[in-house]
Amino acid sequence: MSEQDERATYDIESTQAKWRKIWDESDPFTAHDDSAREKRYALTMFPYPSGDLHMGHAEVFALHDVVARYWWQRGYEVLNPMGFDSFGLPAENAAIKNDEHPATYTYGNIETSIQSCRNYALSFDWSRTFNTSDPEYYRWTQWLFLKFMERGLAYRKNSPVNWCPNDQTVLANEQVVDGHCERCGAEVTKRELTQWYFRITEYAEELLSDLDVLAPTWPDRVITAQRNWIGRSEGAHVDFAVDGRDEPMTVYTTRPDTIFGTTFMVVAVDSPLADELVTDAQRPAFEAYREETRKETEIERLSTDRPKTGVDLGVTATNPVTGDRIPVWATDYVLADYGTGAVMGVPGGDQRDWEFATEMGLTIIRTTQPPADFEGEAFHGEGPAINSPAPGVDSPLDINGLSVAEAKRATIAFLEEQGSGKGAINYRLRDWLLSRQRYWGAPIPVVHCPEHGEVPVPEDQLPVRLPELRGADLKPKGVSPLAAATDWVQTTCPTCGGPATRDTDTMDTFVDSSWYMFRYCSPDDETQAFDTDLVNQWMPCDIYIGGVEHAVLHLLYARFFTKVLADMGLVDFREPFSAQLNQGFVINRGKKMSKSLGNGVRLGDQLAEFGVDAVRLTLVFAGPPEDDIDWADMSPNGSLRFLQRAWRLSGDVTSAPGTDPAGGDVALRRATHRALHDAAELVELHRFNVMVAKIMELVNATRKAIDSDPGPGDPAVREAAEAVAIMLSLVAPYTAEEMWERLGHQPSVARAGWPAVDEALLVEESVTAVVQVQGKVKARLEVAPDVSDADLEAAALADPAVQRALDGKAVRKVIVRAPKLVNIVAG
RNA sequence: GCCGGGUUGGCGGAAUGGCAGACGCGGUGGUCUCAAACACCACUGUCCGAGAGGGCGUGUGGGUUCGAAUCCCACACCCGGCACCA
């Protein structure tokens, strides 16, 4: 090999320009609905168009593209679409700042992003692209809202809601993180507002139980996060009679076995029940307390170590098993929107109740026997029931001595028989608050008529288009900016034709993204949201790649939508994503990249310096896809060096295209087929970093073969170089095309097909058997792969190094695992 | 507090009951060069040894096994989810 060849490289700029042009003209990745090939749907979470692509996009798209390109090479018809989640606040804020329309910002960014994706050599089918802010798309978002309304799954209610004072809009529970707005970080407060909700709780049980089905192919952390979020608990509803009220008050408890320890009742201060129960005498104190608690921020309310507070409502309830008359209190430590908003106070068994009872001077009774060494206050562990009933107390129920589980069962059975309670299941999950007081979103397609109330906009009048507002009109004012568009708001009632007003809220952008994967199957359909047959043909998605930050938000909502669509008969599956993969973050020097830290790495700079292929390769090779990548630990230059090494192989091959590899060097042929076999398996397992290592090994083996014995003319060298080009096409499309061309082939290597693996070449000619003495390696033997146990044992015992290690000691036992290992136990 | 995941060279990571450290980064030495950079070649867990070779080694401590990074028990630490949800 000449010195010239050793240093030869290709020019990154011109090579990228050359192939981009060829790909743009040939469209090798258009998905055909009517293809006879087996179908695969590769989906990656579509981005919000916040500007140009950044390192995070570069990573997820590189990983995703490996899978999509692999499927094409394996002969599948692949649906690999991309679009933009283009409604949302940043566009609105940019519009206010620049006095323009949000669409200007949005659609400008989208165009930039598409060009960047094309340059980044992503195998997306751009013929199917759309944006959630397109009226042709949000028309169907609105249609789906109406369908949910028809089914009673979209409804309006007045309730205390999470309010972000910075964004001036309400937030879903899922968007409040540790009392702060998930988007802007402002402290969230509560407001009493009438808002639209989706009844996702109706599907709580199925959303939870189907996680078992998804668990094998979804990341553990997503499954766990969703399980925790749904938060199923088993317990009982128990009715307590209240003096002077016909209806009893019902509580939810997970510990019905502790009912004998109930010494008071606690009601959420902000619940309607508290307001109803309070006596006239206690009302002033109650209202003062309620006013006080309303001023608390979410942060204050969540701090668990502050003293318990409350007000006696002045009424008395009756314990159904003891007949004891106990006081009813209002407090802020009980949540209005969980369970029934009321709890039985069992200070002996619940630490919060213990603290409350201590604070208020209420009675404490233990109903579970703690262990002798127990030093805490309330005891909620395992132990026999005591004081249930207490000595001298007369009760029709006696659970003394029973274990917690037995006592629960016995208590529920008794309550059910008595008609004062029953077993119940509760969920932490709340209904999904979907209305937002912002402009740049899908308008809620409802008209408010003084006569007919909430009237759905007739389907043939969809879409309800956004009125043209810009600049200062969009400033947050605490009510939706749409309210300012008077002409738009004033309309007529679809039912009676009388004057009416439009709903001025827009939908949470998570509504837009809950069904976009369906739309890709028939993106241009003007008559329906999606074509059921096409959706059933392509979906569920065979893989869905995206950030773990959506573990409970988007992924839960999309699952919910799919189940509703299945119940509507529009799709014949109940889960949208068969497999899921979360990529990690790209960080720099151990910290998340951010402007304030000044540690940002600009994707554009990296691409300019090392080229698209080297950046993609670096991101894929860095480690397991779900781990974070510290860019400071990475070497895009090393990636570039490797790509050039691989590329040089194609220039050294001297045999003609189409040469039969059959007579080629067997050792290199084995390496080639082993690499093809392993790489395929590793892609299926999403172990892309190891797959890259296998390609590197083959490049090293091919280099050696060219430089030494078989030489550059050996047919096995061509076979190996072509295999490298094909495998590399998953990660480094430009280099792979360039190699393929230099090897004398027509484009595109991306659709060349994965070479068939010759099983015969996967069997090694000889393998290394390890000989251990007392479990320590003492010798290595080259043996035939089908060597018999007896032959291997004899060879091992005859080995001089083994004899030396045995040092004359008697052989007690020999374990033989032909052809890999012999372990000799001596002693 | 409850639930889930993790801890392997100087670094990113391989190896899921059978050769620990594949592959790469970094480092050291060399070749090329007037020189440097680039590129290429060799070595590179650690300790002892001139070498041959040997000892030690996968967070800690125990266990199972002929054999454990891998399985089991306990503990420590790190990351993530939930948390006044009764």
Side-chain angles (χ1 to χ4, degrees):
Chain A
M1 185 181 61
S2 74
E3 181 189 300
Q4 189 62 41
D5 282 340
E6 267 178 13
R7 290 162 188 215
T9 60
Y10 60 87
D11 179 68
I12 293 170
E13 275 298 308
S14 59
T15 303
Q16 289 184 181
K18 166 180 152 191
W19 289 108
R20 261 209 67 183
K21 189 158 176 287
I22 293 170
W23 294 332
D24 283 355
E25 283 160 7
S26 61
D27 266 332
F29 305 113
T30 304
H32 301 283
D33 292 327
D34 52 1
S35 169
R37 295 154 167 252
E38 196 179 321
K39 299 206 165 45
R40 287 285 163 100
Y41 190 167
L43 188 64
T44 198
M45 290 178 189
F46 65 165
Y48 178 81
S50 53
D52 203 355
L53 302 183
H54 53 65
M55 290 305 289
H57 295 124
E59 188 199 1
V60 65
F61 290 162
L63 296 169
H64 169 86
D65 214 38
V66 171
V67 177
R69 286 174 175 271
Y70 170 76
W71 283 340
W72 278 120
Q73 294 288 29
R74 297 299 301 207
Y76 297 102
E77 190 70 22
V78 184
L79 175 56
N80 183 24
M82 180 46 58
F84 293 91
D85 191 12
S86 53
F87 270 139
L89 273 178
E92 207 164 325
N93 293 334
I96 294 163
K97 206 170 138 202
N98 306 326
D99 192 28
E100 61 186 16
H101 193 275
T104 312
Y105 168 92
T106 304
Y107 286 87
N109 283 347
I110 288 172
E111 193 42 43
T112 309
S113 297
I114 291 176
Q115 289 313 315
S116 297
C117 286
R118 285 186 179 272
N119 187 52
Y120 199 58
L122 298 168
S123 64
F124 292 130
D125 177 356
W126 290 106
S127 71
R128 291 175 184 258
T129 194
F130 58 79
N131 312 299
T132 56
S133 57
D134 300 341
E136 300 76 34
Y137 181 83
Y138 73 70
R139 164 185 185 176
W140 299 111
T141 306
Q142 291 172 335
W143 180 82
L144 285 165
F145 177 91
L146 296 179
K147 291 292 140 186
F148 276 49
M149 220 178 143
E150 260 173 38
R151 301 179 73 83
L153 293 170
Y155 67 98
R156 226 156 78 108
K157 74 171 176 192
N158 183 278
S159 162
V161 296
N162 301 306
W163 178 260
C164 174
N166 181 51
D167 290 341
Q168 296 271 301
T169 186
V170 299
L171 300 171
N173 258 310
E174 287 83 346
Q175 290 166 321
V176 181
V177 179
D178 290 334
H180 292 272
C181 170
E182 175 229 14
R183 266 209 67 261
C184 70
E187 255 187 48
V188 171
T189 58
K190 288 275 180 188
R191 272 204 181 185
E192 189 101 357
L193 288 172
T194 299
Q195 299 284 303
W196 286 97
Y197 291 81
F198 279 143
R199 213 180 287 280
I200 190 171
T201 51
E202 185 108 334
Y203 287 82
E205 186 59 45
E206 195 192 337
L207 287 166
L208 180 71
S209 61
D210 278 354
L211 289 175
D212 296 338
V213 179
L214 299 175
T217 49
W218 277 43
D220 288 331
R221 50 181 170 173
V222 175
I223 298 285
T224 312
Q226 293 213 1
R227 279 203 185 114
N228 286 340
W229 190 258
I230 294 167
R232 182 184 197 269
S233 73
E234 283 181 29
H237 281 135
V238 186
D239 297 335
F240 286 72
V242 178
D243 286 2
R245 188 174 188 257
D246 295 340
E247 289 285 300
M249 62 182 284
T250 305
V251 300
Y252 173 74
T253 177
T254 55
R255 293 293 301 273
D257 58 301
T258 62
I259 191 166
F260 286 95
T262 309
T263 53
F264 58 94
M265 305 296 287
V266 243
V267 183
V269 62
D270 50 344
S271 67
L273 180 64
D275 191 65
E276 186 203 317
L277 289 179
V278 66
T279 58
D280 292 345
Q282 286 301 98
R283 181 162 289 278
F286 166 72
E287 283 180 357
Y289 177 64
R290 185 166 64 181
E291 214 35 57
E292 212 176 290
T293 59
R294 271 195 187 147
K295 288 190 195 124
E296 292 167 1
T297 65
E298 194 72 353
I299 306 282
E300 288 164 343
R301 207 187 58 75
L302 286 176
S303 92
T304 50
D305 52 0
R306 65 197 181 121
K308 295 279 179 286
T309 54
V311 167
D312 193 335
L313 292 178
V315 287
T316 308
T318 306
N319 186 326
V321 296
T322 61
D324 284 349
R325 294 165 49 76
I326 54 180
V328 181
W329 288 66
T331 181
D332 63 351
Y333 81 84
V334 172
L335 305 176
D337 57 353
Y338 181 78
T340 60
V343 163
M344 59 189 214
V346 187
D350 183 287
Q351 187 59 29
R352 296 157 298 186
D353 294 343
W354 177 286
E355 286 162 18
F356 188 77
T358 310
E359 197 74 30
M360 305 303 167
L362 299 162
T363 317
I364 298 173
I365 304 169
R366 267 200 205 294
T367 54
T368 310
Q369 180 66 56
D373 59 353
F374 179 73
E375 283 171 3
E377 298 175 334
F379 177 70
H380 59 264
E382 187 57 51
I386 53 172
N387 295 322
S388 300
V393 173
D394 189 32
S395 171
L397 174 68
D398 188 335
I399 54 174
N400 279 313
L402 298 186
S403 73
V404 171
E406 291 165 342
K408 276 185 190 175
R409 237 174 287 131
T411 307
I412 291 172
F414 171 81
L415 291 171
E416 284 179 354
E417 197 179 317
Q418 227 200 13
S420 57
K422 60 172 189 243
I425 289 160
N426 228 321
Y427 301 91
R428 211 193 67 94
L429 182 71
R430 308 295 206 280
D431 276 341
W432 171 10
L433 197 173
L434 70 104
S435 30
R436 295 289 179 277
Q437 291 69 50
R438 298 302 304 228
Y439 171 75
W440 193 230
I444 290 173
V446 169
V447 166
H448 299 278
C449 171
E451 205 53 34
H452 298 93
E454 296 151 7
V455 185
V457 172
E459 285 178 30
D460 59 8
Q461 291 176 26
L462 298 181
V464 175
R465 286 176 182 264
L466 283 167
E468 287 287 320
L469 295 181
R470 55 182 8 250
D473 298 338
L474 304 175
K475 278 200 176 133
K477 322 171 179 59
V479 293
S480 176
L482 292 181
T486 319
D487 291 349
W488 181 86
V489 171
Q490 299 300 336
T491 185
T492 51
C493 170
T495 304
C496 63
T501 57
R502 291 193 184 279
D503 199 295
T504 57
D505 285 350
T506 51
M507 293 189 227
D508 182 1
T509 54
F510 279 109
V511 181
D512 309 328
S513 56
S514 289
W515 73 280
Y516 77 108
M517 55 296 238
F518 297 91
R519 184 69 182 171
Y520 283 136
C521 299
S522 54
D524 302 319
D525 200 319
E526 288 171 14
T527 62
Q528 53 189 341
F530 52 82
D531 182 304
T532 293
D533 290 339
L534 289 174
V535 163
N536 285 336
Q537 179 183 296
W538 288 108
M539 288 188 74
C541 297
D542 297 287
I543 190 158
Y544 194 36
I545 304 185
V548 73
E549 66 272 21
H550 292 121
V552 285
L553 290 155
H554 166 60
L555 286 173
L556 191 67
Y557 295 150
R559 294 181 61 220
F560 163 57
F561 260 60
T562 304
K563 290 174 190 308
V564 176
L565 293 172
D567 285 344
M568 288 166 67
L570 293 178
V571 302
D572 66 7
F573 49 91
R574 302 190 72 82
E575 285 289 342
F577 314 118
S578 308
Q580 225 254 120
L581 180 64
N582 295 124
Q583 88 284 3
F585 294 108
V586 183
I587 61 175
N588 192 32
R589 292 183 232 280
K591 298 216 159 55
K592 244 184 129 161
M593 293 188 202
S594 76
K595 278 206 186 102
S596 56
L597 289 168
N599 68 340
V601 176
R602 286 166 51 173
L603 176 61
D605 295 348
Q606 301 295 315
L607 294 175
E609 190 171 354
F610 305 105
V612 167
D613 284 359
V615 170
R616 288 177 51 141
L617 181 74
T618 304
L619 291 165
V620 172
F621 183 56
E626 53 277 0
D627 288 3
D628 289 351
I629 296 172
D630 194 331
W631 193 252
D633 293 338
M634 294 300 127
S635 171
N637 191 52
S639 301
L640 182 56
R641 210 153 51 210
F642 162 72
L643 290 171
Q644 285 166 349
R645 261 165 71 77
W647 172 83
R648 255 178 251 126
L649 298 178
S650 62
D652 289 345
V653 171
T654 55
S655 57
T659 301
D660 182 4
D665 180 69
V666 177
L668 182 57
R669 295 207 65 206
R670 285 211 168 92
T672 302
H673 285 257
R674 170 60 57 190
L676 286 165
H677 173 269
D678 290 355
E681 198 169 83
L682 288 161
V683 175
E684 309 264 2
L685 294 169
H686 306 156
R687 303 176 46 120
F688 313 118
N689 57 324
V690 189
M691 174 209 59
V692 170
K694 298 294 173 189
I695 306 175
M696 288 173 169
E697 284 179 2
L698 183 58
V699 167
N700 292 343
T702 312
R703 181 79 263 158
K704 277 209 175 72
I706 290 171
D707 288 349
S708 58
D709 212 5
D714 193 288
V717 167
R718 166 167 286 276
E719 186 185 32
E722 291 184 351
V724 167
I726 289 166
M727 290 190 283
L728 218 44
S729 77
L730 312 186
V731 190
Y734 291 111
T735 309
E737 292 285 17
E738 202 59 30
M739 284 183 75
W740 197 241
E741 187 180 58
R742 288 226 298 172
L743 286 163
H745 295 291
Q746 291 299 309
S748 163
V749 66
R751 299 295 305 274
W754 199 262
V757 172
D758 185 345
E759 294 291 327
L761 288 169
L762 296 180
V763 182
E764 296 298 325
E765 198 170 29
S766 74
V767 295
T768 307
V770 174
V771 185
Q772 300 176 330
V773 175
Q774 318 288 53
K776 299 203 169 171
V777 179
K778 294 293 173 188
R780 296 185 170 83
L781 305 170
E782 283 303 312
V783 297
D786 57 350
V787 66
S788 72
D789 280 5
D791 288 352
L792 183 59
E793 180 176 342
L797 288 167
D799 189 277
V802 173
Q803 283 303 322
R804 220 178 313 128
L806 283 172
D807 194 25
K809 275 179 276 198
V811 173
R812 268 216 321 233
K813 189 172 176 184
V814 180
I815 292 103
V816 184
R817 292 283 179 276
K820 300 203 58 164
L821 174 131
V822 179
N823 188 11
I824 300 164
V825 188

